[in-house]
Amino acid sequence: MAKGGRKQKEKRKDFQKVKLKTGKVKPKADNFTNTTFKAHAIQIKEQLKDKDESQPTNQRKQNISDLMCHLNHYNASIRHSSVQSIKELLTSHPDLLLQNLSSLLNNLAVLMTDKDDTVRKAGVTVLQHVMQSVSATQISPFFAILNAHICCAMTHITEAIQIDSLAVLDCILQQYPELVIPHSKELLTNFVHQISQHKKVVQGKRDMLGAELSVNPSSVMSSQKWRIKVLQRLQQFLHVLVKEDKSPGVLSHNGSISQEVRVGTNQVVSHVQMFGQSGKVPGLQEGFVLRSLVQDTKTNSSTSTSSYSPEELFTFITSLVPLLMQCWAEVSPRQQSHSNKMTPNAWETLDGVLNVLQLLWRWMEQTDPEFLPQLQKRYLKTFNLQLLQHFPFYANISSTGRGKKSGNISSASVVTINLAACDVMSYFITANKIEEDWVKKVMSFVMETLAGDGCSLATEHVQNLLHVTGRLVKVIPDEGMVQELLEAMCILYEKCHLLSQNKRQVLNHLAQLTVLQHSKNNGNLLQCTATSQWLSSLPSFLLQVQDGNIDSIQTAVDILLQAASRQYPTALSTIQEHIMSLIDSKSGILLRVPPHLQRKVIELLHYVKEISVDIWKELALCCHDSRLAVDSVTYLLHTLTIWVSSHRSFSQLFYSFLFSVNIGCSKSELAKQQVAEDRNGHISCFKLDQQATDLLSRHTVLNQTVCMCYDVLSSKQHMWESLQNAMMNILTTYHTLPYTTIYAILNTCSTISTSSNQWRDDFTNKLTNCCLAVLTSTVVGSHVIGNVEHDWEEALWGAAVNLVSQRLVLWEKLCQECVKCVPDLDNVDELESICTMLTRLIQTDSMMNCIHRCTEQLQDTVQTILKHPSLASLETRWLAEFKYETGLVLNQLDR
């Protein structure tokens, strides 16, 4: 039993069941396979990596391409870090911006709709930096992508993304306003959707979709503040569109407006030549047409730029105006204690609504004015009821203790709102509505502001006030009301400070309304008492204004010219009365303004009926002054020549004026230049007074112009007699003459005198002495007259030789004068002057005719010089040249 029992136990041992106990590890099976493994990362050394070391990197050795790849990372912190690193790289390496512009715009634009606020704001900041660093031309190929992302952000379901999209749009409107115009239709629609929601409108038996203001109670920002933000951006956008439609084209050759951009090869011209309409202008090179902005001749220019047809624009306005009126109704002021006060929380909404309405009506007027009557008919009652019910508005500025004021309202801001309301309502003024109460209310406010505290307003508010006034002047058909407005503007003009920007603006607007813009009513406007007084005060304004205020001076002079060209009596009498003070060399404006304005002041002389002797003298002094540009002097002489041709009684005074301008100085200046020694040795009784070289080119041009004016005058003989008497008076009275005077006398005689003119003997003798002084002085240069520039010497020598070669009698008398004075000369230098002069004259080709015709006079002169005792034992180069040249010429003549 015992033995058999042990065997049985050993037999069952292989199939024994394992008992599992709690807390003990389960034993592994006999066929268990271990499937675990260990893995280690392989680290490649930095020096083994293939990197582009030319690309700038950040501190983590990441270049801009690596960083842009991380902008799509799922982790917001990594995206934010990449954006910051991109900004650092672009700031430190600006050249990366243009190299990677396409990739930057594509990747950064996506961040405008990023759900993480930190990443989105950082991306918007970098995107603004990019747009501020590149031009519109560089970003225009990628603007379509940028515009698509902006539209997605503006219509995003998340409110924070919509808010941040406005910041990007602000930057675009500031940097690239011209690029948003082709996309105006989508963007304007998105503006409307941001403040509205659809609603059902029942019209008859049909259900129509309309729009109403959207309200979001769960929004972080109040609905009113959100609408203010949207209205401000909408105002900026509309301002860009309206400004673009107002931009003029390029003036073409035939006077029409061309919308082509041309690049020519011509240099900058200083004047414009007027041609008749005879096809192409001769001698004018054709430019290269880069692109044409003209699309269809039947399509309005504003339509092509803003992508809105008149019908589409009318539909857009009719869909937006109800929403604006709802915004107005939410903050509409209520009548309180006999004054219409506006709370600080509402003024921005009112201002935004009115500014948007202004721009919409102005845009419609520029696009197609035929739709304005439909808008007037549709909205006159609504606007009159809501906009003008509590007009004018007042700010409710209440004290909150310790001298502080609640809100941010000022009286100037409220004036802007009131003026905007007047501007909007001016589009509804017609002839049959002049007597209505709302028109009188608008007119009363504008005139009270003009005549009241308008001068104390800021520049921008005065500009709005003048814009509204100009608008009312154009649309009001009643002439009496228009004159009242102009009188109020004149009162404002008188109250403004002389040097203030406000006075300059009032001056410009008065000019546009009365003179510069040609219309049928301008003559009647200038005939009223206020505008006549204002026109008469312009010369006083010109004399009082500072030299730096060039724009105001140009505007005032343009007003006088335009009014005088239309033969307004007030303008003509004003110019006649004040022309002397305007051209005064000490206190006038002629010498204080730039050359282009000097020409305009000179043009005032064309409308003067009588020029007194004092005016002629003052004009001559101005011509002598170097502050009057030489081109301006030339223009003055031509203007006066034309004036004298129609006023023959002033011809003698004009001769005297031309002679004064020609000699280059006045009689008082000539008297001051006379010295005690009235003789230049024994050669001539005249002495030359040296002058600066820069006067040569100026005086050469003036002398040519004066000679041309002499030539235009019809009475040639009378003119020559007057000139001969004037020059004789100068040569007799003064013995020391400046270069300008003696050059003018010599050159004028050779230019003006003809064979038919009679020369007086005494004048011929004086002119001979003058030529002798010039020839002997300039031939030896600095040895006689000091440190004189070579240009003056050559000019005077040429003028004297030209005159002597034309008049044979001068050559004869010149030889006789030499024969007469040589025996009395004791100084060898004086003999050198005469010998050198004759040597150089003999070598001059233009003198050969005179020398051939007066052989005996030359021979007597040579013999007289060679017999002088001082030359008997003298051996010099100048004497040898004199003997050689004279001997050669005389031998040829004897043959």
Side-chain angles (χ1 to χ4, degrees):
M1 293 287 296
K3 186 177 181 180
R6 186 172 58 253
K7 292 181 179 180
Q8 289 295 327
K9 288 180 180 180
E10 292 177 356
K11 186 178 181 179
R12 292 193 298 269
K13 188 177 181 179
D14 295 333
F15 303 98
Q16 189 176 0
K17 181 179 180 181
V18 179
K19 294 182 179 180
L20 301 177
K21 294 182 180 181
T22 303
K24 300 295 183 178
V25 179
K26 183 180 179 180
K28 296 180 180 179
D30 294 338
N31 58 352
F32 170 76
T33 303
N34 187 6
T35 59
T36 61
F37 64 92
K38 293 182 179 181
H40 296 279
I42 300 176
Q43 296 182 356
I44 301 177
K45 298 298 181 181
E46 293 294 327
Q47 63 267 23
L48 298 179
K49 290 185 178 180
D50 186 12
K51 285 191 173 182
D52 186 6
E53 297 181 357
S54 63
Q55 291 291 331
T57 58
N58 60 357
Q59 295 179 352
R60 297 182 179 180
K61 306 300 180 181
Q62 295 173 319
N63 57 26
I64 193 168
S65 300
D66 300 334
L67 294 173
M68 283 191 289
C69 293
H70 294 166
L71 293 180
N72 297 323
H73 200 273
Y74 67 92
N75 193 326
S77 61
I78 294 180
R79 296 199 304 271
H80 181 263
S81 176
S82 300
V83 173
Q84 295 295 335
S85 298
I86 289 176
K87 184 177 181 180
E88 293 175 2
L89 281 179
L90 294 179
T91 304
S92 57
H93 302 85
D95 54 321
L96 291 176
L97 202 151
L98 293 179
Q99 296 174 7
N100 304 273
L101 183 59
S102 176
S103 302
L104 282 172
L105 292 176
N106 287 329
N107 289 278
L108 293 176
V110 177
L111 298 182
M112 284 193 290
T113 55
D114 196 286
K115 295 182 179 180
D116 189 83
D117 292 345
T118 307
V119 176
R120 184 176 61 255
K121 293 183 181 298
V124 169
T125 303
V126 178
L127 189 59
Q128 290 175 341
H129 172 74
V130 172
M131 289 188 291
Q132 292 172 359
S133 304
V134 297
S135 63
T137 306
Q138 294 168 336
I139 205 173
S140 58
F142 318 106
F143 190 77
I145 298 175
L146 193 61
N147 178 73
H149 285 283
I150 292 175
C151 293
C152 293
M154 292 178 67
T155 57
H156 202 274
I157 193 173
T158 305
E159 180 184 3
I161 295 178
Q162 295 183 19
I163 296 175
D164 292 336
S165 68
L166 297 181
V168 180
L169 189 61
D170 287 342
C171 186
I172 292 177
L173 291 176
Q174 182 180 1
Q175 301 294 330
Y176 319 114
E178 66 278 6
L179 296 182
V180 301
I181 295 171
H183 307 279
S184 58
K185 191 176 297 184
E186 310 98 81
L187 293 174
L188 286 177
T189 304
N190 292 334
F191 275 119
V192 176
H193 290 166
Q194 282 188 324
I195 60 173
S196 65
Q197 61 186 8
H198 294 295
K199 71 170 185 178
K200 290 185 178 181
V201 180
V202 179
Q203 292 185 357
K205 297 182 179 180
R206 300 178 57 188
D207 293 339
M208 304 290 292
L209 282 178
E212 63 180 358
L213 291 179
S214 60
V215 179
N216 187 8
S218 61
S219 174
V220 178
M221 183 182 297
S222 66
S223 300
Q224 184 176 349
K225 290 183 179 180
W226 170 245
R227 290 168 193 149
I228 290 173
K229 284 183 173 291
V230 176
L231 288 176
Q232 289 174 348
R233 272 63 176 196
L234 179 58
Q235 175 187 345
Q236 296 177 10
F237 194 86
L238 291 175
H239 183 73
V240 170
L241 294 178
V242 174
K243 183 179 180 180
E244 177 69 18
D245 288 339
K246 288 172 64 177
S247 61
V250 181
L251 186 63
S252 62
H253 297 157
N254 57 3
S256 61
I257 299 298
S258 173
Q259 294 290 335
E260 293 180 350
V261 180
R262 291 180 175 267
V263 174
T265 57
N266 295 333
Q267 298 179 354
V268 179
V269 295
S270 59
H271 65 280
V272 177
Q273 177 67 46
M274 304 300 295
F275 298 96
Q277 295 188 2
S278 58
K280 295 185 177 180
V281 180
L284 185 62
Q285 298 182 5
E286 292 293 334
F288 303 100
V289 180
L290 293 182
R291 66 180 185 274
S292 177
L293 303 180
V294 180
Q295 294 181 358
D296 188 1
T297 56
K298 298 181 180 180
T299 306
N300 193 286
S301 61
S302 61
T303 302
S304 61
T305 55
S306 62
S307 71
Y308 264 98
S309 65
E311 294 78 10
E312 292 174 339
L313 179 57
F314 179 80
T315 304
F316 172 74
I317 292 177
T318 54
S319 64
L320 182 58
V321 169
L323 297 175
L324 297 176
M325 290 297 99
Q326 293 179 34
C327 294
W328 182 277
E330 285 186 345
V331 295
S332 178
R334 297 182 180 181
Q335 192 170 6
Q336 300 175 1
S337 64
H338 307 288
S339 64
N340 306 328
K341 297 181 179 180
M342 183 177 61
T343 61
N345 294 329
W347 80 276
E348 287 185 311
T349 303
L350 299 183
D351 184 66
V353 170
L354 288 172
N355 286 330
V356 171
L357 288 175
Q358 272 184 290
L359 294 170
L360 287 176
W361 256 249
R362 198 177 303 171
W363 189 13
M364 189 76 255
E365 183 182 36
Q366 294 175 5
T367 304
D368 192 351
E370 296 180 359
F371 283 87
L372 285 178
Q374 301 182 34
L375 295 176
Q376 294 172 357
K377 183 178 180 181
R378 182 186 291 250
Y379 295 114
L380 175 59
K381 185 176 180 180
T382 302
F383 284 9
N384 189 15
L385 180 62
Q386 296 196 31
L387 302 184
L388 298 182
Q389 183 180 5
H390 306 297
F391 179 84
F393 309 107
Y394 297 93
N396 184 15
I397 304 177
S398 59
S399 177
T400 59
R402 294 186 180 180
K404 296 182 179 181
K405 296 180 180 180
S406 63
N408 192 21
I409 300 293
S410 65
S411 58
S413 301
V414 179
V415 168
T416 304
I417 296 176
N418 290 326
L419 291 175
C422 295
D423 190 20
V424 172
M425 296 308 299
S426 66
Y427 288 90
F428 297 89
I429 297 178
T430 55
N432 57 349
K433 294 183 174 61
I434 291 296
E435 300 299 329
E436 295 188 7
D437 294 337
W438 66 271
V439 178
K440 296 179 180 179
K441 187 185 296 185
V442 170
M443 287 288 299
S444 175
F445 173 79
V446 173
M447 286 191 290
E448 288 178 1
T449 307
L450 285 171
D453 57 349
C455 60
S456 62
L457 296 177
T459 302
E460 56 179 345
H461 301 116
V462 173
Q463 185 176 2
N464 294 336
L465 175 62
L466 296 174
H467 172 74
V468 174
T469 306
R471 170 80 189 164
L472 292 174
V473 169
K474 294 178 182 179
V475 300
I476 292 178
D478 185 75
E479 184 177 336
M481 299 178 68
V482 171
Q483 291 187 358
E484 291 179 2
L485 282 172
L486 289 178
E487 291 176 359
M489 287 187 69
C490 293
I491 294 175
L492 175 61
Y493 173 79
E494 295 176 358
K495 288 185 176 181
C496 292
H497 190 270
L498 178 66
L499 302 179
S500 65
Q501 183 69 21
N502 292 343
K503 194 176 190 71
R504 192 182 308 175
Q505 290 191 15
V506 179
L507 177 66
N508 292 332
H509 279 77
L510 277 172
Q512 292 293 331
L513 294 176
T514 57
V515 178
L516 299 183
Q517 288 185 353
H518 182 70
S519 63
K520 297 180 180 180
N521 298 327
N522 285 3
N524 298 329
L525 296 180
L526 279 175
Q527 291 177 1
C528 66
T529 305
T531 52
S532 297
Q533 294 177 354
W534 163 73
L535 196 62
S536 302
S537 67
L538 290 180
S540 301
F541 170 76
L542 288 172
L543 296 175
Q544 295 174 4
V545 75
Q546 294 292 331
D547 297 347
N549 201 350
I550 300 300
D551 294 337
S552 297
I553 295 177
Q554 182 170 356
T555 303
V557 175
D558 286 339
I559 293 170
L560 291 173
L561 288 174
Q562 291 281 352
S565 65
R566 299 173 190 173
Q567 298 299 313
Y568 292 141
T570 304
L572 295 175
S573 61
T574 300
I575 294 175
Q576 181 68 51
E577 181 181 356
H578 296 89
I579 189 63
M580 180 64 183
S581 59
L582 294 177
I583 65 171
D584 187 84
S585 57
K586 297 180 179 179
S587 60
I589 66 170
L590 179 59
L591 302 181
R592 294 189 295 140
V593 295
H596 70 279
L597 283 184
Q598 290 177 352
R599 295 171 65 93
K600 289 184 176 294
V601 177
I602 291 171
E603 289 174 3
L604 294 174
L605 293 169
H606 179 72
Y607 304 101
V608 175
K609 294 183 178 180
E610 181 180 356
I611 299 180
S612 62
V613 178
D614 294 334
I615 295 178
W616 287 112
K617 291 180 179 180
E618 202 63 41
L619 288 174
L621 290 177
C622 291
C623 293
H624 297 157
D625 200 310
S626 60
R627 290 176 294 175
L628 189 64
V630 62
D631 293 338
S632 300
V633 179
T634 303
Y635 189 71
L636 172 63
L637 296 178
H638 290 164
T639 302
L640 291 175
T641 303
I642 297 174
W643 186 89
V644 170
S645 62
S646 58
H647 299 78
R648 292 294 180 183
S649 59
F650 295 91
S651 57
Q652 189 61 39
L653 292 174
F654 184 57
Y655 294 155
S656 301
F657 165 75
L658 287 178
F659 185 76
S660 300
V661 175
N662 196 17
I663 64 177
C665 58
S666 61
K667 290 184 177 180
S668 60
E669 293 177 347
L670 281 176
K672 293 179 182 179
Q673 294 176 0
Q674 306 307 307
V675 294
E677 297 180 3
D678 59 346
R679 295 182 58 85
N680 185 16
H682 301 305
I683 297 178
S684 174
C685 61
F686 291 106
K687 183 178 181 180
L688 306 185
D689 185 23
Q690 58 183 353
Q691 288 182 305
T693 308
D694 54 357
L695 293 178
L696 176 59
S697 59
R698 175 186 176 89
H699 196 69
T700 302
V701 175
L702 295 185
N703 180 257
Q704 293 175 357
T705 307
V706 169
C707 293
M708 290 175 60
C709 295
Y710 282 140
D711 191 58
V712 170
L713 301 176
S714 58
S715 180
K716 305 293 183 182
Q717 183 60 35
H718 178 66
M719 178 264 298
W720 171 248
E721 292 176 358
S722 300
L723 275 177
Q724 195 171 200
N725 292 332
M727 289 186 287
M728 185 62 187
N729 185 21
I730 293 292
L731 296 176
T732 305
T733 307
Y734 307 104
H735 53 80
T736 300
L737 300 177
Y739 283 174
T740 54
T741 302
I742 205 164
Y743 175 82
I745 292 175
L746 297 177
N747 199 52
T748 302
C749 289
S750 61
T751 304
I752 299 300
S753 178
T754 61
S755 58
S756 60
N757 295 135
Q758 296 180 358
W759 288 48
R760 293 163 40 186
D761 293 338
D762 54 350
F763 176 68
T764 304
N765 295 331
K766 286 292 182 181
L767 199 59
T768 301
N769 280 322
C770 181
C771 291
L772 184 59
V774 170
L775 294 174
T776 55
S777 299
T778 58
V779 73
V780 292
S782 59
H783 295 291
V784 174
I785 57 177
N787 191 9
V788 184
E789 294 290 343
H790 181 69
D791 293 342
W792 264 120
E793 295 176 4
E794 291 298 327
L796 291 174
W797 173 270
V801 171
N802 190 27
L803 178 61
V804 173
S805 62
Q806 290 181 7
R807 303 293 299 184
L808 184 62
V809 64
L810 290 178
W811 171 246
E812 294 176 351
K813 289 185 175 294
L814 186 65
C815 294
Q816 295 173 5
E817 190 67 25
C818 291
V819 172
K820 180 180 178 181
C821 69
V822 164
D824 299 332
L825 296 178
D826 298 330
N827 191 348
V828 178
D829 292 337
E830 294 177 348
L831 290 173
E832 178 186 359
S833 301
I834 295 180
C835 292
T836 308
M837 174 197 70
L838 292 175
T839 301
R840 190 171 174 186
L841 287 176
I842 292 173
Q843 295 172 348
T844 304
D845 294 338
S846 60
M847 290 295 300
M848 294 309 297
N849 185 27
C850 295
I851 294 174
H852 282 279
R853 296 175 64 181
C854 301
T855 307
E856 296 180 0
Q857 288 80 354
L858 177 61
Q859 189 171 7
D860 293 341
T861 304
V862 173
Q863 293 177 357
T864 303
I865 294 174
L866 294 178
K867 291 179 181 180
H868 197 280
S870 300
L871 303 180
S873 60
L874 187 64
E875 295 181 1
T876 59
R877 180 176 180 178
W878 58 265
L879 182 58
E881 290 181 355
F882 173 72
K883 293 179 179 180
Y884 174 77
E885 292 291 342
T886 55
L888 184 64
V889 171
L890 292 176
N891 290 333
Q892 291 178 354
L893 294 178
D894 291 340
R895 295 176 185 176

